[in-house]
Amino acid sequence: MQEILVLYYSQGGAVRDMAQLIARGVESVSGVKARLRTVPRVSANCEASEPAVPASGAPYAELKDLQECIGLALGSPTRFGNMAAPMKYFLDGTVSLWLKGGLIGKPAAVFTSTGSMHGGNESTLLTMMLPLMHHGMLMVGLPYSEPSLSSTSSGGTPYGASHIGGPADDRPISEDERKLCIALGKRLAETAVKLAA
């Protein structure tokens, strides 16, 4: 069984919910399993303040998760049009993989949640792609053949799945957003299987 890493950071829970939907799409492809992982919060303290193992949810990611999987779905909430600091911090620690070309040729997809319709979801998705492209990964988006991409009145872009959570981050994932998350996971897994063959 080959695995796709679904790596996310979630503060309010929306990105975690999206990750689970993307994992469902991944696992709709025969012979592929999703490996859900998260990253710890960063702290202004000089010493680590997070436990070594999260109290609940997915385990923390390690570099071996990136190495062992045949593809990556990367998710983060939007922070001023960019990924959240904990995800950027984790990616900044992947230099050893970059030096040996450990991710070259693997497919990757990105997803995000924002507070408002024009809150930076597309710029977040695009900036999340940059370190992955430096690693030599191949980006997978959502084509307009996905009907929900044209019918959505909330999240969803050709660059990746997105969710509009509202100013209080209390809006549930819409039906169109749900379908696009699943479609992105499925497309990523199908692409990874072809590339790994």
Side-chain angles (χ1 to χ4, degrees):
M1 183 75 67
Q2 300 187 86
E3 292 184 280
I4 300 287
L5 177 60
V6 182
L7 176 60
Y8 68 92
Y9 174 71
S10 187
Q11 193 166 3
V15 176
R16 179 200 62 229
D17 294 345
M18 294 176 76
Q20 292 168 346
L21 289 166
I22 288 168
R24 186 186 310 172
V26 164
E27 293 183 350
S28 72
V29 176
S30 179
V32 185
K33 182 180 174 191
R35 183 186 296 192
L36 282 162
R37 295 290 186 268
T38 190
V39 297
R41 295 186 308 175
V42 292
S43 171
N45 297 334
C46 292
E47 298 175 8
S49 59
E50 291 290 314
V53 177
S56 63
Y60 291 137
E62 299 176 22
L63 292 183
K64 71 174 187 166
D65 293 310
L66 288 166
Q67 290 177 288
E68 293 172 354
C69 291
I70 62 169
L72 168 67
L74 185 71
S76 170
T78 292
R79 296 292 182 263
F80 301 107
N82 207 328
M83 74 184 92
M87 186 58 72
K88 178 72 167 73
Y89 183 80
F90 177 81
L91 291 174
D92 285 349
T94 62
V95 173
S96 62
L97 284 176
W98 176 79
L99 286 170
K100 63 182 180 182
L103 301 180
I104 292 174
K106 292 184 180 185
V110 291
F111 58 102
T112 191
S113 177
T114 56
S116 64
M117 184 67 88
H118 303 289
N121 61 352
E122 290 185 344
S123 64
T124 299
L125 294 171
L126 292 169
T127 56
M128 287 173 69
M129 291 178 188
L130 298 178
L132 305 182
M133 293 174 82
H134 274 264
H135 271 289
M137 299 191 88
L138 307 171
M139 299 311 304
V140 174
L142 285 164
Y144 276 94
S145 57
E146 290 296 333
S148 292
L149 199 55
S150 296
S151 65
T152 185
S153 60
S154 53
T157 78
Y159 313 114
S162 64
H163 166 62
I164 310 300
D169 196 24
D170 58 356
R171 288 187 192 155
I173 294 175
S174 73
E175 185 61 21
D176 283 326
E177 292 170 339
R178 187 185 73 75
K179 288 178 182 176
L180 291 170
C181 286
I182 293 169
L184 184 63
K186 181 179 180 184
R187 188 161 194 259
L188 175 62
E190 289 172 340
T191 302
V193 167
K194 288 176 185 174
L195 289 171

